[in-house]
Amino acid sequence: LAINPKLQQTGGGSAAEQLTVAEGVKQLAKIIYTLHDPAKDKPFELEMSWLCEGSGWKHVGVPRDVIGSAVEWAKKEIEEADEESEDDEEMEE
């Protein structure tokens, strides 16, 4: 499990605020793809590694299929957020 360090500093960190490493991979992919601007940035292939119970506490690369599904999920989430943002802007006009 990964815990948001900001929550630990404020005394938080309940079970609802913890992530599995698989969820962490998805969230990290979402962050990277949100920040990537295809108009300015070069194309890239996302690579990640982890050190967790699932890897026997060894630093190893995240399996390609896990990264692939995380990237797919992240792009879908970003697209849905963009659509919601556009809908909100239209309602304000």
Side-chain angles (χ1 to χ4, degrees):
L1 294 174
I3 301 173
N4 183 338
K6 289 182 182 178
L7 296 174
Q8 284 184 321
Q9 292 170 358
T10 60
S14 70
E17 297 157 339
Q18 296 179 355
L19 299 175
T20 64
V21 290
E23 183 66 26
V25 167
K26 289 169 47 175
Q27 294 296 329
L28 182 57
K30 183 177 175 184
I31 291 167
I32 298 296
Y33 276 91
T34 298
L35 296 175
H36 182 258
D37 182 355
K40 295 189 303 184
D41 301 327
K42 293 181 180 180
F44 69 98
E45 182 177 341
L46 185 61
E47 296 179 347
M48 295 185 207
S49 59
W50 57 18
L51 185 140
C52 60
E53 188 174 355
S55 70
W57 299 109
K58 294 188 172 152
H59 182 238
V60 297
V62 176
R64 287 269 169 238
D65 60 324
V66 174
I67 293 174
S69 62
V71 167
E72 194 174 302
W73 175 86
K75 288 179 177 181
K76 181 180 168 206
E77 287 288 310
I78 293 166
E79 184 177 310
E80 288 175 2
D82 287 346
E83 288 174 1
E84 287 179 19
S85 176
E86 290 172 5
D87 290 345
D88 290 344
E89 289 175 7
E90 290 175 3
M91 291 179 76
E92 291 176 5
E93 293 176 359

